[in-house]
Amino acid sequence: MLKSTSQLVLHSYPGLIALVTAKDDAQANMMAAGWHSYMSVAPPIYGVAIGKERFTYELIQKSGSFAINFVSAEYAHYIEIAGKTSGRDGDKLEKMMAKWQAGEATGAPILENAYVAYECTVRDCKAYGDHDWISGDIKLFYRNDDLFEENGLPNFTKLQIPLFLGQSHYLIADNGTTTKHIQLEPENTKSE
């Protein structure tokens, strides 16, 4: 039975973790972020929640840009390391041997092993409790077309997507995962 509680309930997982990258001068960094979202399609805007104490936050504020990267399950260790270490203690990208290239639009690091990445310039930054929500105008999209079907959906025979469950556990979406297509009758598709 569902009941109310005054205790904090964090139920946003399983969820896709974004690897947020930023670079200012010679300093580059990567962090894991579970709280992120598309905010608009036209124009394309993406947002991410980042604590002010994070080194990546500092780099984003200095450079005015960042990138959102998504990696396959093969590179889920990037998520773990990026989420549990600080770039102030050394170059995380170098420690992980994570290959990257400077983004074509902003210079923000684009992970070579990402299957999708968005290169963004900062549009706005607002404080909400213990995190700031940083919204960015997507300047350039990156996608490994070999890992997607013609209809735009992931090709799960080629791509395994790690969905974070919590406490270093992941659900892997792959060709063994059940997918379900929901088809509504026309009379049930009215928009509000």
Side-chain angles (χ1 to χ4, degrees):
M1 177 173 87
L2 185 66
K3 62 180 184 175
S4 64
T5 178
S6 59
Q7 293 181 344
L8 179 66
V9 177
L10 280 177
H11 184 70
S12 54
Y13 301 115
L16 195 57
I17 301 295
L19 290 170
V20 183
T21 54
K23 182 179 181 300
D24 181 57
D25 294 327
Q27 292 184 301
N29 197 48
M30 172 169 61
M31 65 166 275
W35 301 337
H36 56 92
S37 180
Y38 247 99
M39 298 172 64
S40 171
V41 173
I45 301 170
Y46 207 88
V48 61
I50 303 177
K52 286 183 182 179
E53 72 280 4
R54 303 286 181 224
F55 184 55
T56 301
Y57 181 94
E58 182 181 318
L59 294 179
I60 291 171
Q61 294 303 310
K62 287 179 179 177
S63 67
S65 63
F66 61 96
I68 300 289
N69 298 263
F70 298 102
V71 295
S72 67
E74 180 182 357
Y75 299 99
H77 64 283
Y78 286 7
I79 297 167
E80 284 296 301
I81 295 169
K84 294 181 177 175
T85 61
S86 174
R88 286 191 177 88
D89 299 329
D91 189 329
K92 283 194 262 187
L93 292 158
E94 188 176 294
K95 282 181 190 176
M96 286 184 251
M97 295 185 281
K99 294 180 182 176
W100 60 276
Q101 61 190 24
E104 296 172 27
T106 69
I110 304 297
L111 298 175
E112 288 183 13
N113 294 319
Y115 61 87
V116 165
Y118 307 133
E119 191 176 359
C120 305
T121 55
V122 173
R123 169 182 272 260
D124 195 21
C125 181
K126 297 240 190 246
Y128 294 96
D130 59 3
H131 282 66
D132 278 13
W133 186 260
I134 300 173
S135 59
D137 292 308
I138 301 174
K139 296 300 182 184
L140 203 54
F141 301 87
Y142 299 81
R143 185 173 89 165
N144 183 340
D145 289 334
D146 294 338
L147 302 177
F148 290 84
E149 303 284 356
E150 286 184 26
N151 63 7
L153 293 176
N155 180 339
F156 286 119
T157 63
K158 295 180 178 181
L159 178 62
Q160 294 182 319
I161 298 177
L163 301 175
F164 184 69
L165 291 172
Q167 303 175 0
S168 300
H169 289 82
Y170 293 82
L171 173 70
I172 306 301
D174 61 14
N175 63 348
T177 306
T178 301
T179 59
K180 184 176 182 179
H181 180 145
I182 307 293
Q183 184 68 42
L184 296 177
E185 297 298 322
E187 65 270 6
N188 295 328
T189 59
K190 295 178 184 172
S191 309
E192 295 295 319

